[in-house]
PDB file of all heavy atoms in Angstrom:
ATOM      1  N   LEU A   1       0.831  -1.212   0.000  1.00  0.00           N
ATOM      2  CA  LEU A   1       0.000   0.000   0.000  1.00  0.00           C
ATOM      3  C   LEU A   1       0.860   1.256   0.000  1.00  0.00           C
ATOM      4  O   LEU A   1       0.606   2.191  -0.760  1.00  0.00           O
ATOM      5  CB  LEU A   1      -0.955  -0.001   1.194  1.00  0.00           C
ATOM      6  CG  LEU A   1      -2.101  -1.017   1.112  1.00  0.00           C
ATOM      7  CD1 LEU A   1      -2.825  -1.112   2.457  1.00  0.00           C
ATOM      8  CD2 LEU A   1      -3.072  -0.668  -0.012  1.00  0.00           C
ATOM      9  N   LEU A   2       1.880   1.279   0.829  1.00  0.00           N
ATOM     10  CA  LEU A   2       2.754   2.459   0.876  1.00  0.00           C
ATOM     11  C   LEU A   2       3.441   2.706  -0.461  1.00  0.00           C
ATOM     12  O   LEU A   2       3.562   3.853  -0.897  1.00  0.00           O
ATOM     13  CB  LEU A   2       3.787   2.310   1.995  1.00  0.00           C
ATOM     14  CG  LEU A   2       3.240   2.387   3.415  1.00  0.00           C
ATOM     15  CD1 LEU A   2       4.322   2.039   4.428  1.00  0.00           C
ATOM     16  CD2 LEU A   2       2.643   3.756   3.702  1.00  0.00           C
ATOM     17  N   ASP A   3       3.870   1.643  -1.119  1.00  0.00           N
ATOM     18  CA  ASP A   3       4.517   1.799  -2.424  1.00  0.00           C
ATOM     19  C   ASP A   3       3.522   2.259  -3.490  1.00  0.00           C
ATOM     20  O   ASP A   3       3.861   3.053  -4.359  1.00  0.00           O
ATOM     21  CB  ASP A   3       5.184   0.502  -2.855  1.00  0.00           C
ATOM     22  CG  ASP A   3       6.422   0.171  -2.038  1.00  0.00           C
ATOM     23  OD1 ASP A   3       6.895   1.035  -1.284  1.00  0.00           O
ATOM     24  OD2 ASP A   3       6.903  -0.968  -2.157  1.00  0.00           O
ATOM     25  N   LEU A   4       2.302   1.761  -3.421  1.00  0.00           N
ATOM     26  CA  LEU A   4       1.281   2.192  -4.370  1.00  0.00           C
ATOM     27  C   LEU A   4       0.966   3.678  -4.196  1.00  0.00           C
ATOM     28  O   LEU A   4       0.749   4.399  -5.165  1.00  0.00           O
ATOM     29  CB  LEU A   4       0.004   1.356  -4.203  1.00  0.00           C
ATOM     30  CG  LEU A   4       0.118  -0.113  -4.610  1.00  0.00           C
ATOM     31  CD1 LEU A   4      -1.064  -0.906  -4.090  1.00  0.00           C
ATOM     32  CD2 LEU A   4       0.239  -0.248  -6.123  1.00  0.00           C
ATOM     33  N   TRP A   5       0.946   4.151  -2.956  1.00  0.00           N
ATOM     34  CA  TRP A   5       0.617   5.546  -2.646  1.00  0.00           C
ATOM     35  C   TRP A   5       1.817   6.489  -2.752  1.00  0.00           C
ATOM     36  O   TRP A   5       1.654   7.699  -2.649  1.00  0.00           O
ATOM     37  CB  TRP A   5       0.070   5.659  -1.232  1.00  0.00           C
ATOM     38  CG  TRP A   5      -1.162   4.882  -0.944  1.00  0.00           C
ATOM     39  CD1 TRP A   5      -2.101   4.431  -1.831  1.00  0.00           C
ATOM     40  CD2 TRP A   5      -1.598   4.440   0.338  1.00  0.00           C
ATOM     41  NE1 TRP A   5      -3.089   3.746  -1.172  1.00  0.00           N
ATOM     42  CE2 TRP A   5      -2.807   3.732   0.165  1.00  0.00           C
ATOM     43  CE3 TRP A   5      -1.093   4.571   1.635  1.00  0.00           C
ATOM     44  CZ2 TRP A   5      -3.515   3.178   1.222  1.00  0.00           C
ATOM     45  CZ3 TRP A   5      -1.796   4.013   2.680  1.00  0.00           C
ATOM     46  CH2 TRP A   5      -2.996   3.325   2.482  1.00  0.00           C
ATOM     47  N   ALA A   6       3.004   5.968  -2.929  1.00  0.00           N
ATOM     48  CA  ALA A   6       4.225   6.784  -2.925  1.00  0.00           C
ATOM     49  C   ALA A   6       4.167   7.884  -3.986  1.00  0.00           C
ATOM     50  O   ALA A   6       3.457   7.773  -4.990  1.00  0.00           O
ATOM     51  CB  ALA A   6       5.445   5.901  -3.155  1.00  0.00           C
ATOM     52  N   LYS A   7       4.957   8.915  -3.747  1.00  0.00           N
ATOM     53  CA  LYS A   7       5.011  10.067  -4.650  1.00  0.00           C
ATOM     54  C   LYS A   7       5.241   9.644  -6.105  1.00  0.00           C
ATOM     55  O   LYS A   7       4.640  10.182  -7.027  1.00  0.00           O
ATOM     56  CB  LYS A   7       6.108  11.022  -4.182  1.00  0.00           C
ATOM     57  CG  LYS A   7       6.150  12.324  -4.888  1.00  0.00           C
ATOM     58  CD  LYS A   7       7.188  13.235  -4.264  1.00  0.00           C
ATOM     59  CE  LYS A   7       7.147  14.609  -4.892  1.00  0.00           C
ATOM     60  NZ  LYS A   7       8.091  15.525  -4.256  1.00  0.00           N
ATOM     61  N   ASP A   8       6.117   8.666  -6.297  1.00  0.00           N
ATOM     62  CA  ASP A   8       6.405   8.183  -7.644  1.00  0.00           C
ATOM     63  C   ASP A   8       5.643   6.900  -7.975  1.00  0.00           C
ATOM     64  O   ASP A   8       5.951   6.211  -8.933  1.00  0.00           O
ATOM     65  CB  ASP A   8       7.905   7.975  -7.822  1.00  0.00           C
ATOM     66  CG  ASP A   8       8.487   6.963  -6.838  1.00  0.00           C
ATOM     67  OD1 ASP A   8       7.787   6.561  -5.878  1.00  0.00           O
ATOM     68  OD2 ASP A   8       9.641   6.566  -7.017  1.00  0.00           O
ATOM     69  N   GLY A   9       4.643   6.584  -7.173  1.00  0.00           N
ATOM     70  CA  GLY A   9       3.872   5.362  -7.360  1.00  0.00           C
ATOM     71  C   GLY A   9       2.729   5.509  -8.353  1.00  0.00           C
ATOM     72  O   GLY A   9       2.400   6.616  -8.791  1.00  0.00           O
ATOM     73  N   PRO A  10       2.104   4.402  -8.698  1.00  0.00           N
ATOM     74  CA  PRO A  10       1.060   4.409  -9.717  1.00  0.00           C
ATOM     75  C   PRO A  10      -0.250   5.074  -9.294  1.00  0.00           C
ATOM     76  O   PRO A  10      -1.096   5.358 -10.132  1.00  0.00           O
ATOM     77  CB  PRO A  10       0.846   2.921 -10.010  1.00  0.00           C
ATOM     78  CG  PRO A  10       1.235   2.238  -8.750  1.00  0.00           C
ATOM     79  CD  PRO A  10       2.370   3.057  -8.192  1.00  0.00           C
ATOM     80  N   ASP A  11      -0.409   5.338  -8.005  1.00  0.00           N
ATOM     81  CA  ASP A  11      -1.649   5.959  -7.527  1.00  0.00           C
ATOM     82  C   ASP A  11      -1.561   7.476  -7.454  1.00  0.00           C
ATOM     83  O   ASP A  11      -2.410   8.135  -6.851  1.00  0.00           O
ATOM     84  CB  ASP A  11      -2.051   5.390  -6.165  1.00  0.00           C
ATOM     85  CG  ASP A  11      -2.462   3.928  -6.244  1.00  0.00           C
ATOM     86  OD1 ASP A  11      -2.370   3.334  -7.339  1.00  0.00           O
ATOM     87  OD2 ASP A  11      -2.875   3.376  -5.212  1.00  0.00           O
ATOM     88  N   GLY A  12      -0.522   8.021  -8.082  1.00  0.00           N
ATOM     89  CA  GLY A  12      -0.414   9.467  -8.186  1.00  0.00           C
ATOM     90  C   GLY A  12       0.039  10.175  -6.925  1.00  0.00           C
ATOM     91  O   GLY A  12      -0.204  11.367  -6.758  1.00  0.00           O
ATOM     92  N   GLY A  13       0.691   9.455  -6.023  1.00  0.00           N
ATOM     93  CA  GLY A  13       1.222  10.087  -4.822  1.00  0.00           C
ATOM     94  C   GLY A  13       0.193  10.342  -3.747  1.00  0.00           C
ATOM     95  O   GLY A  13       0.452  11.095  -2.806  1.00  0.00           O
ATOM     96  N   ASN A  14      -0.966   9.693  -3.847  1.00  0.00           N
ATOM     97  CA  ASN A  14      -1.947   9.851  -2.771  1.00  0.00           C
ATOM     98  C   ASN A  14      -2.803   8.604  -2.626  1.00  0.00           C
ATOM     99  O   ASN A  14      -2.777   7.718  -3.457  1.00  0.00           O
ATOM    100  CB  ASN A  14      -2.809  11.102  -2.981  1.00  0.00           C
ATOM    101  CG  ASN A  14      -3.731  10.998  -4.162  1.00  0.00           C
ATOM    102  OD1 ASN A  14      -4.626  10.171  -4.188  1.00  0.00           O
ATOM    103  ND2 ASN A  14      -3.511  11.833  -5.162  1.00  0.00           N
ATOM    104  N   TRP A  15      -3.567   8.616  -1.593  1.00  0.00           N
ATOM    105  CA  TRP A  15      -4.380   7.452  -1.239  1.00  0.00           C
ATOM    106  C   TRP A  15      -5.870   7.688  -1.465  1.00  0.00           C
ATOM    107  O   TRP A  15      -6.703   6.853  -1.110  1.00  0.00           O
ATOM    108  CB  TRP A  15      -4.133   7.071   0.199  1.00  0.00           C
ATOM    109  CG  TRP A  15      -4.480   8.165   1.195  1.00  0.00           C
ATOM    110  CD1 TRP A  15      -5.188   9.324   0.957  1.00  0.00           C
ATOM    111  CD2 TRP A  15      -4.145   8.200   2.560  1.00  0.00           C
ATOM    112  NE1 TRP A  15      -5.290  10.063   2.100  1.00  0.00           N
ATOM    113  CE2 TRP A  15      -4.652   9.399   3.118  1.00  0.00           C
ATOM    114  CE3 TRP A  15      -3.459   7.350   3.394  1.00  0.00           C
ATOM    115  CZ2 TRP A  15      -4.502   9.748   4.447  1.00  0.00           C
ATOM    116  CZ3 TRP A  15      -3.306   7.705   4.723  1.00  0.00           C
ATOM    117  CH2 TRP A  15      -3.819   8.884   5.243  1.00  0.00           C
ATOM    118  N   ASP A  16      -6.242   8.808  -2.039  1.00  0.00           N
ATOM    119  CA  ASP A  16      -7.652   9.198  -2.134  1.00  0.00           C
ATOM    120  C   ASP A  16      -8.545   8.126  -2.751  1.00  0.00           C
ATOM    121  O   ASP A  16      -9.588   7.782  -2.195  1.00  0.00           O
ATOM    122  CB  ASP A  16      -7.802  10.496  -2.934  1.00  0.00           C
ATOM    123  CG  ASP A  16      -7.157  11.685  -2.247  1.00  0.00           C
ATOM    124  OD1 ASP A  16      -6.833  11.593  -1.041  1.00  0.00           O
ATOM    125  OD2 ASP A  16      -6.968  12.720  -2.920  1.00  0.00           O
ATOM    126  N   ARG A  17      -8.128   7.583  -3.887  1.00  0.00           N
ATOM    127  CA  ARG A  17      -8.986   6.585  -4.541  1.00  0.00           C
ATOM    128  C   ARG A  17      -9.002   5.265  -3.778  1.00  0.00           C
ATOM    129  O   ARG A  17     -10.004   4.547  -3.810  1.00  0.00           O
ATOM    130  CB  ARG A  17      -8.572   6.403  -5.995  1.00  0.00           C
ATOM    131  CG  ARG A  17      -8.943   7.660  -6.819  1.00  0.00           C
ATOM    132  CD  ARG A  17      -8.712   7.494  -8.290  1.00  0.00           C
ATOM    133  NE  ARG A  17      -7.269   7.436  -8.542  1.00  0.00           N
ATOM    134  CZ  ARG A  17      -6.724   7.067  -9.682  1.00  0.00           C
ATOM    135  NH1 ARG A  17      -7.478   6.704 -10.695  1.00  0.00           N
ATOM    136  NH2 ARG A  17      -5.415   7.054  -9.828  1.00  0.00           N
ATOM    137  N   THR A  18      -7.920   4.961  -3.061  1.00  0.00           N
ATOM    138  CA  THR A  18      -7.933   3.751  -2.225  1.00  0.00           C
ATOM    139  C   THR A  18      -8.921   3.930  -1.081  1.00  0.00           C
ATOM    140  O   THR A  18      -9.686   3.005  -0.770  1.00  0.00           O
ATOM    141  CB  THR A  18      -6.533   3.437  -1.660  1.00  0.00           C
ATOM    142  OG1 THR A  18      -5.672   3.098  -2.739  1.00  0.00           O
ATOM    143  CG2 THR A  18      -6.576   2.277  -0.672  1.00  0.00           C
ATOM    144  N   ILE A  19      -8.922   5.094  -0.458  1.00  0.00           N
ATOM    145  CA  ILE A  19      -9.876   5.348   0.629  1.00  0.00           C
ATOM    146  C   ILE A  19     -11.300   5.199   0.095  1.00  0.00           C
ATOM    147  O   ILE A  19     -12.147   4.524   0.713  1.00  0.00           O
ATOM    148  CB  ILE A  19      -9.661   6.760   1.241  1.00  0.00           C
ATOM    149  CG1 ILE A  19      -8.255   6.906   1.820  1.00  0.00           C
ATOM    150  CG2 ILE A  19     -10.730   7.063   2.275  1.00  0.00           C
ATOM    151  CD1 ILE A  19      -7.918   6.018   2.978  1.00  0.00           C
ATOM    152  N   ASP A  20     -11.578   5.800  -1.050  1.00  0.00           N
ATOM    153  CA  ASP A  20     -12.907   5.666  -1.661  1.00  0.00           C
ATOM    154  C   ASP A  20     -13.234   4.204  -1.938  1.00  0.00           C
ATOM    155  O   ASP A  20     -14.355   3.754  -1.684  1.00  0.00           O
ATOM    156  CB  ASP A  20     -12.987   6.465  -2.965  1.00  0.00           C
ATOM    157  CG  ASP A  20     -13.002   7.966  -2.744  1.00  0.00           C
ATOM    158  OD1 ASP A  20     -13.294   8.410  -1.611  1.00  0.00           O
ATOM    159  OD2 ASP A  20     -12.715   8.695  -3.712  1.00  0.00           O
ATOM    160  N   ALA A  21     -12.262   3.459  -2.460  1.00  0.00           N
ATOM    161  CA  ALA A  21     -12.483   2.049  -2.770  1.00  0.00           C
ATOM    162  C   ALA A  21     -12.780   1.237  -1.514  1.00  0.00           C
ATOM    163  O   ALA A  21     -13.646   0.364  -1.527  1.00  0.00           O
ATOM    164  CB  ALA A  21     -11.274   1.468  -3.497  1.00  0.00           C
ATOM    165  N   MET A  22     -12.082   1.532  -0.442  1.00  0.00           N
ATOM    166  CA  MET A  22     -12.315   0.806   0.814  1.00  0.00           C
ATOM    167  C   MET A  22     -13.712   1.104   1.358  1.00  0.00           C
ATOM    168  O   MET A  22     -14.396   0.208   1.852  1.00  0.00           O
ATOM    169  CB  MET A  22     -11.250   1.169   1.849  1.00  0.00           C
ATOM    170  CG  MET A  22      -9.834   0.800   1.437  1.00  0.00           C
ATOM    171  SD  MET A  22      -9.589  -0.945   1.165  1.00  0.00           S
ATOM    172  CE  MET A  22      -9.204  -1.461   2.812  1.00  0.00           C
ATOM    173  N   ILE A  23     -14.138   2.348   1.230  1.00  0.00           N
ATOM    174  CA  ILE A  23     -15.457   2.750   1.750  1.00  0.00           C
ATOM    175  C   ILE A  23     -16.582   2.174   0.897  1.00  0.00           C
ATOM    176  O   ILE A  23     -17.575   1.678   1.429  1.00  0.00           O
ATOM    177  CB  ILE A  23     -15.555   4.288   1.820  1.00  0.00           C
ATOM    178  CG1 ILE A  23     -14.624   4.819   2.904  1.00  0.00           C
ATOM    179  CG2 ILE A  23     -16.994   4.733   2.084  1.00  0.00           C
ATOM    180  CD1 ILE A  23     -14.428   6.324   2.879  1.00  0.00           C
ATOM    181  N   THR A  24     -16.433   2.247  -0.411  1.00  0.00           N
ATOM    182  CA  THR A  24     -17.535   1.819  -1.279  1.00  0.00           C
ATOM    183  C   THR A  24     -17.577   0.317  -1.530  1.00  0.00           C
ATOM    184  O   THR A  24     -18.654  -0.247  -1.659  1.00  0.00           O
ATOM    185  CB  THR A  24     -17.491   2.555  -2.634  1.00  0.00           C
ATOM    186  OG1 THR A  24     -16.254   2.298  -3.282  1.00  0.00           O
ATOM    187  CG2 THR A  24     -17.668   4.051  -2.452  1.00  0.00           C
ATOM    188  N   SER A  25     -16.423  -0.329  -1.593  1.00  0.00           N
ATOM    189  CA  SER A  25     -16.397  -1.751  -1.935  1.00  0.00           C
ATOM    190  C   SER A  25     -16.275  -2.694  -0.745  1.00  0.00           C
ATOM    191  O   SER A  25     -16.585  -3.872  -0.864  1.00  0.00           O
ATOM    192  CB  SER A  25     -15.241  -2.031  -2.909  1.00  0.00           C
ATOM    193  OG  SER A  25     -15.458  -1.354  -4.117  1.00  0.00           O
ATOM    194  N   HIS A  26     -15.765  -2.209   0.363  1.00  0.00           N
ATOM    195  CA  HIS A  26     -15.580  -3.037   1.574  1.00  0.00           C
ATOM    196  C   HIS A  26     -14.874  -4.362   1.293  1.00  0.00           C
ATOM    197  O   HIS A  26     -15.395  -5.430   1.613  1.00  0.00           O
ATOM    198  CB  HIS A  26     -16.924  -3.320   2.254  1.00  0.00           C
ATOM    199  CG  HIS A  26     -17.721  -2.120   2.566  1.00  0.00           C
ATOM    200  ND1 HIS A  26     -17.388  -1.253   3.573  1.00  0.00           N
ATOM    201  CD2 HIS A  26     -18.831  -1.603   1.984  1.00  0.00           C
ATOM    202  CE1 HIS A  26     -18.259  -0.272   3.615  1.00  0.00           C
ATOM    203  NE2 HIS A  26     -19.143  -0.445   2.657  1.00  0.00           N
ATOM    204  N   PRO A  27     -13.688  -4.324   0.674  1.00  0.00           N
ATOM    205  CA  PRO A  27     -13.006  -5.590   0.389  1.00  0.00           C
ATOM    206  C   PRO A  27     -12.637  -6.313   1.685  1.00  0.00           C
ATOM    207  O   PRO A  27     -12.238  -5.696   2.658  1.00  0.00           O
ATOM    208  CB  PRO A  27     -11.753  -5.145  -0.371  1.00  0.00           C
ATOM    209  CG  PRO A  27     -11.512  -3.740   0.070  1.00  0.00           C
ATOM    210  CD  PRO A  27     -12.870  -3.160   0.334  1.00  0.00           C
ATOM    211  N   GLY A  28     -12.793  -7.625   1.665  1.00  0.00           N
ATOM    212  CA  GLY A  28     -12.482  -8.408   2.854  1.00  0.00           C
ATOM    213  C   GLY A  28     -11.026  -8.816   2.959  1.00  0.00           C
ATOM    214  O   GLY A  28     -10.535  -9.129   4.033  1.00  0.00           O
ATOM    215  N   THR A  29     -10.343  -8.813   1.814  1.00  0.00           N
ATOM    216  CA  THR A  29      -8.945  -9.224   1.759  1.00  0.00           C
ATOM    217  C   THR A  29      -8.202  -8.313   0.772  1.00  0.00           C
ATOM    218  O   THR A  29      -8.836  -7.612  -0.027  1.00  0.00           O
ATOM    219  CB  THR A  29      -8.804 -10.678   1.274  1.00  0.00           C
ATOM    220  OG1 THR A  29      -9.288 -10.753  -0.076  1.00  0.00           O
ATOM    221  CG2 THR A  29      -9.566 -11.650   2.169  1.00  0.00           C
ATOM    222  N   PHE A  30      -6.883  -8.369   0.813  1.00  0.00           N
ATOM    223  CA  PHE A  30      -6.109  -7.609  -0.169  1.00  0.00           C
ATOM    224  C   PHE A  30      -6.426  -8.116  -1.569  1.00  0.00           C
ATOM    225  O   PHE A  30      -6.500  -7.332  -2.506  1.00  0.00           O
ATOM    226  CB  PHE A  30      -4.612  -7.704   0.127  1.00  0.00           C
ATOM    227  CG  PHE A  30      -3.786  -6.752  -0.704  1.00  0.00           C
ATOM    228  CD1 PHE A  30      -3.630  -5.432  -0.319  1.00  0.00           C
ATOM    229  CD2 PHE A  30      -3.177  -7.183  -1.874  1.00  0.00           C
ATOM    230  CE1 PHE A  30      -2.884  -4.540  -1.096  1.00  0.00           C
ATOM    231  CE2 PHE A  30      -2.424  -6.305  -2.658  1.00  0.00           C
ATOM    232  CZ  PHE A  30      -2.285  -4.975  -2.261  1.00  0.00           C
ATOM    233  N   ARG A  31      -6.625  -9.402  -1.702  1.00  0.00           N
ATOM    234  CA  ARG A  31      -6.992  -9.976  -3.012  1.00  0.00           C
ATOM    235  C   ARG A  31      -8.270  -9.322  -3.533  1.00  0.00           C
ATOM    236  O   ARG A  31      -8.357  -8.941  -4.701  1.00  0.00           O
ATOM    237  CB  ARG A  31      -7.161 -11.488  -2.897  1.00  0.00           C
ATOM    238  CG  ARG A  31      -7.537 -12.153  -4.198  1.00  0.00           C
ATOM    239  CD  ARG A  31      -7.764 -13.667  -3.978  1.00  0.00           C
ATOM    240  NE  ARG A  31      -7.809 -14.350  -5.235  1.00  0.00           N
ATOM    241  CZ  ARG A  31      -6.775 -14.844  -5.889  1.00  0.00           C
ATOM    242  NH1 ARG A  31      -5.572 -14.746  -5.386  1.00  0.00           N
ATOM    243  NH2 ARG A  31      -6.920 -15.443  -7.044  1.00  0.00           N
ATOM    244  N   ASP A  32      -9.301  -9.191  -2.669  1.00  0.00           N
ATOM    245  CA  ASP A  32     -10.547  -8.526  -3.067  1.00  0.00           C
ATOM    246  C   ASP A  32     -10.285  -7.073  -3.453  1.00  0.00           C
ATOM    247  O   ASP A  32     -10.850  -6.572  -4.421  1.00  0.00           O
ATOM    248  CB  ASP A  32     -11.574  -8.549  -1.933  1.00  0.00           C
ATOM    249  CG  ASP A  32     -12.071  -9.924  -1.584  1.00  0.00           C
ATOM    250  OD1 ASP A  32     -11.942 -10.852  -2.406  1.00  0.00           O
ATOM    251  OD2 ASP A  32     -12.595 -10.076  -0.459  1.00  0.00           O
ATOM    252  N   TYR A  33      -9.449  -6.411  -2.658  1.00  0.00           N
ATOM    253  CA  TYR A  33      -9.095  -5.023  -2.966  1.00  0.00           C
ATOM    254  C   TYR A  33      -8.434  -4.954  -4.332  1.00  0.00           C
ATOM    255  O   TYR A  33      -8.793  -4.122  -5.165  1.00  0.00           O
ATOM    256  CB  TYR A  33      -8.165  -4.468  -1.880  1.00  0.00           C
ATOM    257  CG  TYR A  33      -7.455  -3.199  -2.274  1.00  0.00           C
ATOM    258  CD1 TYR A  33      -8.147  -2.004  -2.385  1.00  0.00           C
ATOM    259  CD2 TYR A  33      -6.097  -3.205  -2.563  1.00  0.00           C
ATOM    260  CE1 TYR A  33      -7.491  -0.842  -2.770  1.00  0.00           C
ATOM    261  CE2 TYR A  33      -5.435  -2.056  -2.944  1.00  0.00           C
ATOM    262  CZ  TYR A  33      -6.135  -0.871  -3.047  1.00  0.00           C
ATOM    263  OH  TYR A  33      -5.485   0.272  -3.443  1.00  0.00           O
ATOM    264  N   TRP A  34      -7.483  -5.835  -4.576  1.00  0.00           N
ATOM    265  CA  TRP A  34      -6.694  -5.794  -5.805  1.00  0.00           C
ATOM    266  C   TRP A  34      -7.520  -6.151  -7.036  1.00  0.00           C
ATOM    267  O   TRP A  34      -7.460  -5.465  -8.064  1.00  0.00           O
ATOM    268  CB  TRP A  34      -5.493  -6.735  -5.694  1.00  0.00           C
ATOM    269  CG  TRP A  34      -4.577  -6.602  -6.856  1.00  0.00           C
ATOM    270  CD1 TRP A  34      -4.505  -7.424  -7.946  1.00  0.00           C
ATOM    271  CD2 TRP A  34      -3.633  -5.568  -7.069  1.00  0.00           C
ATOM    272  NE1 TRP A  34      -3.555  -6.959  -8.828  1.00  0.00           N
ATOM    273  CE2 TRP A  34      -3.007  -5.811  -8.301  1.00  0.00           C
ATOM    274  CE3 TRP A  34      -3.243  -4.458  -6.334  1.00  0.00           C
ATOM    275  CZ2 TRP A  34      -2.024  -5.000  -8.818  1.00  0.00           C
ATOM    276  CZ3 TRP A  34      -2.256  -3.649  -6.843  1.00  0.00           C
ATOM    277  CH2 TRP A  34      -1.661  -3.917  -8.078  1.00  0.00           C
ATOM    278  N   LEU A  35      -8.278  -7.229  -6.951  1.00  0.00           N
ATOM    279  CA  LEU A  35      -8.982  -7.746  -8.127  1.00  0.00           C
ATOM    280  C   LEU A  35     -10.322  -7.061  -8.395  1.00  0.00           C
ATOM    281  O   LEU A  35     -10.797  -7.058  -9.529  1.00  0.00           O
ATOM    282  CB  LEU A  35      -9.197  -9.256  -7.983  1.00  0.00           C
ATOM    283  CG  LEU A  35      -7.919 -10.100  -7.937  1.00  0.00           C
ATOM    284  CD1 LEU A  35      -8.252 -11.556  -7.692  1.00  0.00           C
ATOM    285  CD2 LEU A  35      -7.104  -9.927  -9.209  1.00  0.00           C
ATOM    286  N   THR A  36     -10.927  -6.468  -7.369  1.00  0.00           N
ATOM    287  CA  THR A  36     -12.254  -5.882  -7.540  1.00  0.00           C
ATOM    288  C   THR A  36     -12.287  -4.387  -7.236  1.00  0.00           C
ATOM    289  O   THR A  36     -12.677  -3.581  -8.075  1.00  0.00           O
ATOM    290  CB  THR A  36     -13.280  -6.615  -6.639  1.00  0.00           C
ATOM    291  OG1 THR A  36     -13.246  -8.012  -6.945  1.00  0.00           O
ATOM    292  CG2 THR A  36     -14.675  -6.089  -6.869  1.00  0.00           C
ATOM    293  N   ALA A  37     -11.876  -4.003  -6.023  1.00  0.00           N
ATOM    294  CA  ALA A  37     -12.015  -2.610  -5.591  1.00  0.00           C
ATOM    295  C   ALA A  37     -11.107  -1.656  -6.367  1.00  0.00           C
ATOM    296  O   ALA A  37     -11.544  -0.572  -6.755  1.00  0.00           O
ATOM    297  CB  ALA A  37     -11.758  -2.493  -4.088  1.00  0.00           C
TER     298      ALA A  37
END
């Protein structure tokens, strides 16, 4: 997660969309987060 959110990471240097994904999708596992959310 930290590497994904990093300044030079693929998530644009922030966690905003991950937070939204966690709230809206409620993944139960990292696999669910990765493959669906």
Side-chain angles (χ1 to χ4, degrees):
L1 289 169
L2 290 172
D3 289 349
L4 292 166
W5 300 337
K7 188 175 185 177
D8 60 349
D11 292 4
N14 68 64
W15 60 12
D16 295 345
R17 290 187 291 168
T18 294
I19 300 296
D20 289 342
M22 298 299 273
I23 291 168
T24 59
S25 296
H26 306 287
T29 64
F30 190 83
R31 180 183 194 88
D32 294 341
Y33 165 71
W34 187 260
L35 296 176
T36 304

